[in-house]
Amino acid sequence: MKANYYNRIVHISSNTLRQIIVSAFGMAIPFLVIHFAQKEIWGAFVSILLYTLFAIQVINWGNKEYVLRLFSMLPNKIKKNYSRILFTRLPLVFLFSVGSLFFFPLTYTFYIFIWLLGRYFNHSTEALVIYEKKFNASIAIEVISFGVFLFPFYWLKDDFGIYSLLVNYSFYQFIRGTGYFVLFQKYLSSGNIKMDTSYYKQAFPFFLLSVLGFFTSKTDLYIIDYFENRTIVANYQVLNSLLVFTMSVAAFIYAPFTKNIYRNTTSVVRQIQKQLSLLGLFLVPAALFAIHLITVFYLKTSLSIWFYTIAFLYVYPSFIYGIKIVELFRNHQEKTVIKILLAGTLINTILSTILVYLNYGISGALLGAAIAQLIQLVLTSKPSLLR
């Protein structure tokens, strides 16, 4: 009994550490670019980043969540389903690689392709990492591939432009993804590599949840990228990443106990939610203070108390409604979650666009996103409003 409990704690800790490492490496990259190159270079690179982020949302097509459920239901057919779904989604990689020609120079196409291919391998095996509990192997892949990514920064030093950044970042993603693919190559069954377009229909609800969640947190960044100059885009992308990471801390806390949320009574779940809400009142201000220090001493930018007040309203709701979303899933109200995320996305898009267009800058963009978060909080508290 004690051994099982110990193993469970080890797995939870390893997975949490893995998620933190992935997030930390992702947030460290813009700081490295700004330090070794210029803020404007990162600002220009954000346009490519945003294109690939959207492409990856479509290429994934709800893969992780759908496949995890499929593996749990049919453990004797993991190889068959993994191979079938892997091949079915592959054409999307080529589609978005070719599509990049409409937005970026021809010389970028190959590197965008290997970037997307690496992320495709990475996300295709994410369900296997969790199912097989290969958390330590995942940590090793993340650390090694990021170490390879770091080398060119010291090698190129001051001669680091957007093209060299694209080359370096693309190979980083490819090496990272290939590491995961090789780790789980035993699950690839050549006899089951075939196209199955029914997958897109079956996994569509998971895709919709994923893509709406993505746009809820990134719409304001797309709008800033469209309206503002490269310096402002660079600043806001860094701030957005830090704020979204702070929001995800709530999920890091309750994710290991999701099974408990599913199994316990409503009163117990409410108590857990109350404790997380109170914890957020301490964690969010502390995180915002750290972000303020980063903004002043690294980004060399001064933001008003008004901005940080909006930032609190943007981040804190996730510490309240996160568990409520899980509760809605527990009650099989996935359609309600989709409606909530759709409402948040539309409100964020409309308000952020208007406020940025009226020259309220990054404060306006964040205000639109914060209002969307507050409305999502209200809707998760009273889902009957959507009926």
Side-chain angles (χ1 to χ4, degrees), residues 67-108:
V67 169
L68 269 174
R69 187 178 72 173
L70 197 62
F71 286 176
S72 299
M73 293 171 59
L74 301 169
N76 59 325
K77 294 183 178 180
I78 291 179
K79 286 187 178 181
K80 178 181 178 180
N81 287 319
Y82 170 69
S83 303
R84 171 179 60 88
I85 294 171
L86 184 74
F87 186 73
T88 298
R89 292 167 39 248
L90 181 59
L92 294 175
V93 176
F94 293 97
L95 177 66
F96 279 97
S97 298
V98 174
S100 67
L101 289 169
F102 293 97
F103 304 98
F104 308 108
L106 176 62
T107 52
Y108 289 13

mmCIF file of all heavy atoms in Angstrom, residues 67-108:
data_model
loop_
_atom_site.group_PDB
_atom_site.id
_atom_site.type_symbol
_atom_site.label_atom_id
_atom_site.label_comp_id
_atom_site.label_asym_id
_atom_site.label_seq_id
_atom_site.Cartn_x
_atom_site.Cartn_y
_atom_site.Cartn_z
ATOM 1 N N VAL A 67 -7.104 10.634 -27.732
ATOM 2 C CA VAL A 67 -6.298 9.414 -27.732
ATOM 3 C C VAL A 67 -6.155 8.838 -26.324
ATOM 4 O O VAL A 67 -6.164 7.609 -26.152
ATOM 5 C CB VAL A 67 -4.909 9.694 -28.359
ATOM 6 C CG1 VAL A 67 -3.958 8.529 -28.139
ATOM 7 C CG2 VAL A 67 -5.050 9.962 -29.846
ATOM 8 N N LEU A 68 -6.029 9.697 -25.317
ATOM 9 C CA LEU A 68 -5.956 9.202 -23.942
ATOM 10 C C LEU A 68 -7.193 8.384 -23.589
ATOM 11 O O LEU A 68 -7.103 7.328 -22.972
ATOM 12 C CB LEU A 68 -5.803 10.370 -22.964
ATOM 13 C CG LEU A 68 -4.382 10.793 -22.610
ATOM 14 C CD1 LEU A 68 -4.396 12.043 -21.751
ATOM 15 C CD2 LEU A 68 -3.624 9.678 -21.908
ATOM 16 N N ARG A 69 -8.351 8.890 -23.965
ATOM 17 C CA ARG A 69 -9.590 8.160 -23.698
ATOM 18 C C ARG A 69 -9.631 6.859 -24.491
ATOM 19 O O ARG A 69 -10.033 5.811 -23.973
ATOM 20 C CB ARG A 69 -10.801 9.023 -24.056
ATOM 21 C CG ARG A 69 -12.132 8.401 -23.647
ATOM 22 C CD ARG A 69 -13.298 9.288 -23.962
ATOM 23 N NE ARG A 69 -13.560 9.359 -25.399
ATOM 24 C CZ ARG A 69 -14.625 9.964 -25.932
ATOM 25 N NH1 ARG A 69 -15.482 10.590 -25.143
ATOM 26 N NH2 ARG A 69 -14.795 9.995 -27.242
ATOM 27 N N LEU A 70 -9.178 6.913 -25.743
ATOM 28 C CA LEU A 70 -9.174 5.731 -26.600
ATOM 29 C C LEU A 70 -8.230 4.660 -26.063
ATOM 30 O O LEU A 70 -8.562 3.466 -26.044
ATOM 31 C CB LEU A 70 -8.765 6.137 -28.019
ATOM 32 C CG LEU A 70 -9.086 5.153 -29.154
ATOM 33 C CD1 LEU A 70 -10.584 4.932 -29.268
ATOM 34 C CD2 LEU A 70 -8.526 5.683 -30.472
ATOM 35 N N PHE A 71 -7.038 5.078 -25.614
ATOM 36 C CA PHE A 71 -6.074 4.130 -25.047
ATOM 37 C C PHE A 71 -6.627 3.462 -23.791
ATOM 38 O O PHE A 71 -6.409 2.271 -23.559
ATOM 39 C CB PHE A 71 -4.770 4.844 -24.704
ATOM 40 C CG PHE A 71 -3.935 5.211 -25.913
ATOM 41 C CD1 PHE A 71 -2.753 5.935 -25.760
ATOM 42 C CD2 PHE A 71 -4.316 4.856 -27.195
ATOM 43 C CE1 PHE A 71 -1.982 6.284 -26.860
ATOM 44 C CE2 PHE A 71 -3.555 5.196 -28.302
ATOM 45 C CZ PHE A 71 -2.387 5.912 -28.131
ATOM 46 N N SER A 72 -7.332 4.239 -22.988
ATOM 47 C CA SER A 72 -7.888 3.695 -21.740
ATOM 48 C C SER A 72 -9.009 2.707 -22.022
ATOM 49 O O SER A 72 -9.149 1.699 -21.324
ATOM 50 C CB SER A 72 -8.412 4.837 -20.861
ATOM 51 O OG SER A 72 -7.363 5.723 -20.529
ATOM 52 N N MET A 73 -9.794 2.989 -23.056
ATOM 53 C CA MET A 73 -10.926 2.118 -23.395
ATOM 54 C C MET A 73 -10.475 0.860 -24.137
ATOM 55 O O MET A 73 -11.048 -0.217 -23.951
ATOM 56 C CB MET A 73 -11.936 2.889 -24.248
ATOM 57 C CG MET A 73 -12.644 4.008 -23.516
ATOM 58 S SD MET A 73 -13.637 5.057 -24.609
ATOM 59 C CE MET A 73 -14.772 3.873 -25.311
ATOM 60 N N LEU A 74 -9.440 1.014 -24.985
ATOM 61 C CA LEU A 74 -8.980 -0.115 -25.818
ATOM 62 C C LEU A 74 -7.469 -0.300 -25.670
ATOM 63 O O LEU A 74 -6.699 -0.063 -26.612
ATOM 64 C CB LEU A 74 -9.337 0.139 -27.293
ATOM 65 C CG LEU A 74 -10.827 0.333 -27.612
ATOM 66 C CD1 LEU A 74 -11.006 0.832 -29.034
ATOM 67 C CD2 LEU A 74 -11.591 -0.985 -27.409
ATOM 68 N N PRO A 75 -7.000 -0.733 -24.498
ATOM 69 C CA PRO A 75 -5.554 -0.865 -24.266
ATOM 70 C C PRO A 75 -4.883 -1.914 -25.157
ATOM 71 O O PRO A 75 -3.676 -1.838 -25.378
ATOM 72 C CB PRO A 75 -5.467 -1.274 -22.787
ATOM 73 C CG PRO A 75 -6.797 -1.866 -22.479
ATOM 74 C CD PRO A 75 -7.783 -1.117 -23.311
ATOM 75 N N ASN A 76 -5.658 -2.845 -25.686
ATOM 76 C CA ASN A 76 -5.094 -3.885 -26.554
ATOM 77 C C ASN A 76 -4.954 -3.415 -28.006
ATOM 78 O O ASN A 76 -4.435 -4.157 -28.850
ATOM 79 C CB ASN A 76 -5.971 -5.138 -26.509
ATOM 80 C CG ASN A 76 -7.399 -4.869 -26.947
ATOM 81 O OD1 ASN A 76 -7.937 -3.787 -26.687
ATOM 82 N ND2 ASN A 76 -8.010 -5.830 -27.607
ATOM 83 N N LYS A 77 -5.400 -2.194 -28.296
ATOM 84 C CA LYS A 77 -5.320 -1.684 -29.668
ATOM 85 C C LYS A 77 -4.545 -0.364 -29.745
ATOM 86 O O LYS A 77 -4.777 0.454 -30.634
ATOM 87 C CB LYS A 77 -6.724 -1.489 -30.247
ATOM 88 C CG LYS A 77 -7.494 -2.791 -30.426
ATOM 89 C CD LYS A 77 -8.851 -2.545 -31.077
ATOM 90 C CE LYS A 77 -9.592 -3.859 -31.294
ATOM 91 N NZ LYS A 77 -10.913 -3.629 -31.921
ATOM 92 N N ILE A 78 -3.626 -0.170 -28.798
ATOM 93 C CA ILE A 78 -2.874 1.089 -28.759
ATOM 94 C C ILE A 78 -2.043 1.281 -30.026
ATOM 95 O O ILE A 78 -2.054 2.348 -30.637
ATOM 96 C CB ILE A 78 -1.974 1.141 -27.503
ATOM 97 C CG1 ILE A 78 -2.833 1.271 -26.247
ATOM 98 C CG2 ILE A 78 -1.007 2.323 -27.590
ATOM 99 C CD1 ILE A 78 -2.049 1.299 -24.957
ATOM 100 N N LYS A 79 -1.313 0.249 -30.442
ATOM 101 C CA LYS A 79 -0.471 0.359 -31.644
ATOM 102 C C LYS A 79 -1.312 0.690 -32.871
ATOM 103 O O LYS A 79 -0.945 1.549 -33.684
ATOM 104 C CB LYS A 79 0.306 -0.944 -31.867
ATOM 105 C CG LYS A 79 1.454 -1.159 -30.912
ATOM 106 C CD LYS A 79 2.256 -2.391 -31.321
ATOM 107 C CE LYS A 79 3.448 -2.587 -30.394
ATOM 108 N NZ LYS A 79 4.263 -3.775 -30.801
ATOM 109 N N LYS A 80 -2.421 0.010 -33.001
ATOM 110 C CA LYS A 80 -3.279 0.217 -34.166
ATOM 111 C C LYS A 80 -3.812 1.647 -34.204
ATOM 112 O O LYS A 80 -3.738 2.324 -35.246
ATOM 113 C CB LYS A 80 -4.444 -0.773 -34.130
ATOM 114 C CG LYS A 80 -5.430 -0.605 -35.282
ATOM 115 C CD LYS A 80 -6.567 -1.611 -35.176
ATOM 116 C CE LYS A 80 -7.569 -1.401 -36.316
ATOM 117 N NZ LYS A 80 -8.695 -2.368 -36.239
ATOM 118 N N ASN A 81 -4.340 2.111 -33.073
ATOM 119 C CA ASN A 81 -4.930 3.451 -33.038
ATOM 120 C C ASN A 81 -3.886 4.553 -33.129
ATOM 121 O O ASN A 81 -4.101 5.575 -33.796
ATOM 122 C CB ASN A 81 -5.759 3.611 -31.761
ATOM 123 C CG ASN A 81 -7.046 2.823 -31.811
ATOM 124 O OD1 ASN A 81 -7.717 2.781 -32.839
ATOM 125 N ND2 ASN A 81 -7.414 2.184 -30.716
ATOM 126 N N TYR A 82 -2.742 4.359 -32.476
ATOM 127 C CA TYR A 82 -1.671 5.351 -32.548
ATOM 128 C C TYR A 82 -1.192 5.516 -33.986
ATOM 129 O O TYR A 82 -1.065 6.645 -34.485
ATOM 130 C CB TYR A 82 -0.513 4.930 -31.653
ATOM 131 C CG TYR A 82 0.749 5.755 -31.833
ATOM 132 C CD1 TYR A 82 0.800 7.085 -31.427
ATOM 133 C CD2 TYR A 82 1.890 5.195 -32.419
ATOM 134 C CE1 TYR A 82 1.948 7.845 -31.599
ATOM 135 C CE2 TYR A 82 3.047 5.945 -32.586
ATOM 136 C CZ TYR A 82 3.067 7.269 -32.179
ATOM 137 O OH TYR A 82 4.215 8.012 -32.349
ATOM 138 N N SER A 83 -0.946 4.408 -34.681
ATOM 139 C CA SER A 83 -0.442 4.444 -36.058
ATOM 140 C C SER A 83 -1.475 5.050 -37.001
ATOM 141 O O SER A 83 -1.140 5.858 -37.881
ATOM 142 C CB SER A 83 -0.086 3.029 -36.522
ATOM 143 O OG SER A 83 0.861 2.441 -35.666
ATOM 144 N N ARG A 84 -2.726 4.659 -36.822
ATOM 145 C CA ARG A 84 -3.809 5.152 -37.686
ATOM 146 C C ARG A 84 -3.984 6.665 -37.536
ATOM 147 O O ARG A 84 -4.041 7.396 -38.537
ATOM 148 C CB ARG A 84 -5.107 4.424 -37.326
ATOM 149 C CG ARG A 84 -6.357 4.967 -37.991
ATOM 150 C CD ARG A 84 -7.578 4.156 -37.579
ATOM 151 N NE ARG A 84 -7.802 4.193 -36.136
ATOM 152 C CZ ARG A 84 -8.512 5.132 -35.522
ATOM 153 N NH1 ARG A 84 -9.048 6.129 -36.219
ATOM 154 N NH2 ARG A 84 -8.702 5.091 -34.210
ATOM 155 N N ILE A 85 -4.045 7.148 -36.308
ATOM 156 C CA ILE A 85 -4.278 8.573 -36.063
ATOM 157 C C ILE A 85 -3.050 9.400 -36.449
ATOM 158 O O ILE A 85 -3.169 10.510 -36.975
ATOM 159 C CB ILE A 85 -4.654 8.792 -34.589
ATOM 160 C CG1 ILE A 85 -6.013 8.137 -34.305
ATOM 161 C CG2 ILE A 85 -4.710 10.282 -34.248
ATOM 162 C CD1 ILE A 85 -6.391 8.102 -32.841
ATOM 163 N N LEU A 86 -1.862 8.860 -36.212
ATOM 164 C CA LEU A 86 -0.626 9.541 -36.592
ATOM 165 C C LEU A 86 -0.603 9.817 -38.090
ATOM 166 O O LEU A 86 -0.327 10.945 -38.523
ATOM 167 C CB LEU A 86 0.583 8.684 -36.201
ATOM 168 C CG LEU A 86 1.970 9.301 -36.437
ATOM 169 C CD1 LEU A 86 2.264 10.376 -35.400
ATOM 170 C CD2 LEU A 86 3.048 8.226 -36.393
ATOM 171 N N PHE A 87 -0.927 8.811 -38.883
ATOM 172 C CA PHE A 87 -0.887 8.957 -40.342
ATOM 173 C C PHE A 87 -2.024 9.845 -40.840
ATOM 174 O O PHE A 87 -1.844 10.619 -41.791
ATOM 175 C CB PHE A 87 -0.963 7.579 -41.007
ATOM 176 C CG PHE A 87 -0.779 7.626 -42.499
ATOM 177 C CD1 PHE A 87 0.474 7.859 -43.058
ATOM 178 C CD2 PHE A 87 -1.865 7.460 -43.356
ATOM 179 C CE1 PHE A 87 0.643 7.907 -44.435
ATOM 180 C CE2 PHE A 87 -1.705 7.505 -44.737
ATOM 181 C CZ PHE A 87 -0.445 7.730 -45.272
ATOM 182 N N THR A 88 -3.178 9.740 -40.207
ATOM 183 C CA THR A 88 -4.344 10.517 -40.634
ATOM 184 C C THR A 88 -4.100 12.016 -40.511
ATOM 185 O O THR A 88 -4.564 12.807 -41.338
ATOM 186 C CB THR A 88 -5.579 10.113 -39.796
ATOM 187 O OG1 THR A 88 -5.860 8.720 -40.021
ATOM 188 C CG2 THR A 88 -6.799 10.936 -40.169
ATOM 189 N N ARG A 89 -3.361 12.431 -39.486
ATOM 190 C CA ARG A 89 -3.109 13.847 -39.249
ATOM 191 C C ARG A 89 -1.906 14.392 -40.008
ATOM 192 O O ARG A 89 -1.709 15.611 -40.080
ATOM 193 C CB ARG A 89 -2.908 14.096 -37.745
ATOM 194 C CG ARG A 89 -4.173 13.888 -36.935
ATOM 195 C CD ARG A 89 -3.928 13.820 -35.432
ATOM 196 N NE ARG A 89 -2.933 14.750 -34.982
ATOM 197 C CZ ARG A 89 -1.734 14.401 -34.500
ATOM 198 N NH1 ARG A 89 -1.406 13.129 -34.376
ATOM 199 N NH2 ARG A 89 -0.871 15.312 -34.131
ATOM 200 N N LEU A 90 -1.086 13.511 -40.576
ATOM 201 C CA LEU A 90 0.146 13.938 -41.254
ATOM 202 C C LEU A 90 -0.090 14.924 -42.403
ATOM 203 O O LEU A 90 0.675 15.888 -42.543
ATOM 204 C CB LEU A 90 0.918 12.717 -41.755
ATOM 205 C CG LEU A 90 2.250 12.992 -42.459
ATOM 206 C CD1 LEU A 90 3.208 13.734 -41.538
ATOM 207 C CD2 LEU A 90 2.888 11.683 -42.945
ATOM 208 N N PRO A 91 -1.121 14.740 -43.264
ATOM 209 C CA PRO A 91 -1.321 15.704 -44.363
ATOM 210 C C PRO A 91 -1.483 17.147 -43.904
ATOM 211 O O PRO A 91 -1.148 18.074 -44.646
ATOM 212 C CB PRO A 91 -2.608 15.187 -45.031
ATOM 213 C CG PRO A 91 -2.638 13.730 -44.727
ATOM 214 C CD PRO A 91 -2.066 13.616 -43.350
ATOM 215 N N LEU A 92 -1.968 17.353 -42.684
ATOM 216 C CA LEU A 92 -2.142 18.719 -42.176
ATOM 217 C C LEU A 92 -0.798 19.427 -42.008
ATOM 218 O O LEU A 92 -0.711 20.653 -42.146
ATOM 219 C CB LEU A 92 -2.895 18.692 -40.844
ATOM 220 C CG LEU A 92 -4.346 18.204 -40.890
ATOM 221 C CD1 LEU A 92 -4.932 18.113 -39.484
ATOM 222 C CD2 LEU A 92 -5.196 19.125 -41.757
ATOM 223 N N VAL A 93 0.252 18.654 -41.720
ATOM 224 C CA VAL A 93 1.593 19.233 -41.588
ATOM 225 C C VAL A 93 2.022 19.833 -42.925
ATOM 226 O O VAL A 93 2.518 20.971 -42.990
ATOM 227 C CB VAL A 93 2.613 18.172 -41.124
ATOM 228 C CG1 VAL A 93 4.025 18.764 -41.088
ATOM 229 C CG2 VAL A 93 2.236 17.621 -39.754
ATOM 230 N N PHE A 94 1.805 19.085 -43.994
ATOM 231 C CA PHE A 94 2.174 19.566 -45.334
ATOM 232 C C PHE A 94 1.277 20.727 -45.758
ATOM 233 O O PHE A 94 1.747 21.683 -46.395
ATOM 234 C CB PHE A 94 2.074 18.418 -46.345
ATOM 235 C CG PHE A 94 3.082 17.332 -46.126
ATOM 236 C CD1 PHE A 94 2.746 16.188 -45.417
ATOM 237 C CD2 PHE A 94 4.379 17.464 -46.605
ATOM 238 C CE1 PHE A 94 3.683 15.184 -45.206
ATOM 239 C CE2 PHE A 94 5.326 16.460 -46.403
ATOM 240 C CZ PHE A 94 4.977 15.328 -45.691
ATOM 241 N N LEU A 95 0.002 20.658 -45.397
ATOM 242 C CA LEU A 95 -0.940 21.717 -45.764
ATOM 243 C C LEU A 95 -0.515 23.063 -45.189
ATOM 244 O O LEU A 95 -0.457 24.074 -45.908
ATOM 245 C CB LEU A 95 -2.343 21.351 -45.271
ATOM 246 C CG LEU A 95 -3.435 22.398 -45.528
ATOM 247 C CD1 LEU A 95 -3.677 22.564 -47.023
ATOM 248 C CD2 LEU A 95 -4.733 21.995 -44.826
ATOM 249 N N PHE A 96 -0.181 23.091 -43.901
ATOM 250 C CA PHE A 96 0.206 24.355 -43.271
ATOM 251 C C PHE A 96 1.630 24.771 -43.644
ATOM 252 O O PHE A 96 1.953 25.957 -43.596
ATOM 253 C CB PHE A 96 0.048 24.257 -41.758
ATOM 254 C CG PHE A 96 -1.370 24.452 -41.301
ATOM 255 C CD1 PHE A 96 -2.181 23.362 -41.036
ATOM 256 C CD2 PHE A 96 -1.900 25.723 -41.188
ATOM 257 C CE1 PHE A 96 -3.501 23.533 -40.634
ATOM 258 C CE2 PHE A 96 -3.211 25.915 -40.788
ATOM 259 C CZ PHE A 96 -4.023 24.813 -40.510
ATOM 260 N N SER A 97 2.463 23.821 -44.005
ATOM 261 C CA SER A 97 3.808 24.175 -44.489
ATOM 262 C C SER A 97 3.707 24.914 -45.821
ATOM 263 O O SER A 97 4.353 25.949 -46.020
ATOM 264 C CB SER A 97 4.662 22.912 -44.655
ATOM 265 O OG SER A 97 4.827 22.255 -43.421
ATOM 266 N N VAL A 98 2.874 24.407 -46.719
ATOM 267 C CA VAL A 98 2.643 25.075 -48.007
ATOM 268 C C VAL A 98 1.915 26.398 -47.782
ATOM 269 O O VAL A 98 2.202 27.411 -48.431
ATOM 270 C CB VAL A 98 1.837 24.160 -48.958
ATOM 271 C CG1 VAL A 98 1.460 24.903 -50.235
ATOM 272 C CG2 VAL A 98 2.644 22.916 -49.298
ATOM 273 N N GLY A 99 0.972 26.401 -46.834
ATOM 274 C CA GLY A 99 0.213 27.617 -46.540
ATOM 275 C C GLY A 99 1.071 28.762 -46.063
ATOM 276 O O GLY A 99 0.715 29.941 -46.228
ATOM 277 N N SER A 100 2.230 28.447 -45.474
ATOM 278 C CA SER A 100 3.129 29.502 -44.984
ATOM 279 C C SER A 100 3.655 30.376 -46.122
ATOM 280 O O SER A 100 4.099 31.508 -45.884
ATOM 281 C CB SER A 100 4.300 28.876 -44.223
ATOM 282 O OG SER A 100 5.154 28.134 -45.089
ATOM 283 N N LEU A 101 3.601 29.856 -47.364
ATOM 284 C CA LEU A 101 4.064 30.638 -48.519
ATOM 285 C C LEU A 101 3.245 31.911 -48.714
ATOM 286 O O LEU A 101 3.726 32.880 -49.308
ATOM 287 C CB LEU A 101 3.982 29.780 -49.791
ATOM 288 C CG LEU A 101 4.997 28.641 -49.915
ATOM 289 C CD1 LEU A 101 4.619 27.724 -51.071
ATOM 290 C CD2 LEU A 101 6.399 29.191 -50.119
ATOM 291 N N PHE A 102 2.012 31.914 -48.244
ATOM 292 C CA PHE A 102 1.152 33.083 -48.402
ATOM 293 C C PHE A 102 1.497 34.191 -47.403
ATOM 294 O O PHE A 102 1.041 35.330 -47.559
ATOM 295 C CB PHE A 102 -0.317 32.688 -48.219
ATOM 296 C CG PHE A 102 -0.845 31.795 -49.308
ATOM 297 C CD1 PHE A 102 -0.888 30.421 -49.134
ATOM 298 C CD2 PHE A 102 -1.282 32.336 -50.514
ATOM 299 C CE1 PHE A 102 -1.375 29.591 -50.130
ATOM 300 C CE2 PHE A 102 -1.765 31.513 -51.525
ATOM 301 C CZ PHE A 102 -1.804 30.141 -51.329
ATOM 302 N N PHE A 103 2.282 33.877 -46.391
ATOM 303 C CA PHE A 103 2.564 34.844 -45.328
ATOM 304 C C PHE A 103 4.047 35.164 -45.155
ATOM 305 O O PHE A 103 4.385 36.242 -44.665
ATOM 306 C CB PHE A 103 2.022 34.322 -43.987
ATOM 307 C CG PHE A 103 0.559 33.993 -44.011
ATOM 308 C CD1 PHE A 103 0.132 32.687 -44.189
ATOM 309 C CD2 PHE A 103 -0.390 34.995 -43.872
ATOM 310 C CE1 PHE A 103 -1.222 32.378 -44.205
ATOM 311 C CE2 PHE A 103 -1.744 34.697 -43.893
ATOM 312 C CZ PHE A 103 -2.161 33.376 -44.063
ATOM 313 N N PHE A 104 4.913 34.227 -45.571
ATOM 314 C CA PHE A 104 6.337 34.384 -45.298
ATOM 315 C C PHE A 104 7.161 34.072 -46.551
ATOM 316 O O PHE A 104 6.668 33.440 -47.490
ATOM 317 C CB PHE A 104 6.761 33.453 -44.151
ATOM 318 C CG PHE A 104 5.899 33.579 -42.924
ATOM 319 C CD1 PHE A 104 4.994 32.579 -42.573
ATOM 320 C CD2 PHE A 104 5.969 34.709 -42.131
ATOM 321 C CE1 PHE A 104 4.177 32.705 -41.465
ATOM 322 C CE2 PHE A 104 5.160 34.849 -41.014
ATOM 323 C CZ PHE A 104 4.259 33.842 -40.681
ATOM 324 N N PRO A 105 8.420 34.502 -46.592
ATOM 325 C CA PRO A 105 9.272 34.241 -47.754
ATOM 326 C C PRO A 105 9.437 32.740 -48.031
ATOM 327 O O PRO A 105 9.354 31.912 -47.119
ATOM 328 C CB PRO A 105 10.613 34.876 -47.359
ATOM 329 C CG PRO A 105 10.261 35.901 -46.335
ATOM 330 C CD PRO A 105 9.106 35.335 -45.579
ATOM 331 N N LEU A 106 9.704 32.421 -49.282
ATOM 332 C CA LEU A 106 9.887 31.028 -49.706
ATOM 333 C C LEU A 106 11.005 30.353 -48.923
ATOM 334 O O LEU A 106 10.916 29.154 -48.601
ATOM 335 C CB LEU A 106 10.198 30.992 -51.210
ATOM 336 C CG LEU A 106 10.520 29.619 -51.826
ATOM 337 C CD1 LEU A 106 9.327 28.682 -51.698
ATOM 338 C CD2 LEU A 106 10.923 29.776 -53.293
ATOM 339 N N THR A 107 12.049 31.109 -48.592
ATOM 340 C CA THR A 107 13.197 30.540 -47.868
ATOM 341 C C THR A 107 12.829 30.066 -46.451
ATOM 342 O O THR A 107 13.584 29.329 -45.832
ATOM 343 C CB THR A 107 14.333 31.570 -47.774
ATOM 344 O OG1 THR A 107 13.812 32.805 -47.237
ATOM 345 C CG2 THR A 107 14.945 31.836 -49.142
ATOM 346 N N TYR A 108 11.676 30.513 -45.956
ATOM 347 C CA TYR A 108 11.247 30.103 -44.623
ATOM 348 C C TYR A 108 10.506 28.764 -44.634
ATOM 349 O O TYR A 108 10.358 28.123 -43.587
ATOM 350 C CB TYR A 108 10.296 31.150 -44.015
ATOM 351 C CG TYR A 108 10.925 32.452 -43.601
ATOM 352 C CD1 TYR A 108 12.214 32.808 -43.999
ATOM 353 C CD2 TYR A 108 10.234 33.356 -42.804
ATOM 354 C CE1 TYR A 108 12.780 34.014 -43.613
ATOM 355 C CE2 TYR A 108 10.790 34.563 -42.411
ATOM 356 C CZ TYR A 108 12.069 34.891 -42.833
ATOM 357 O OH TYR A 108 12.633 36.082 -42.451
#
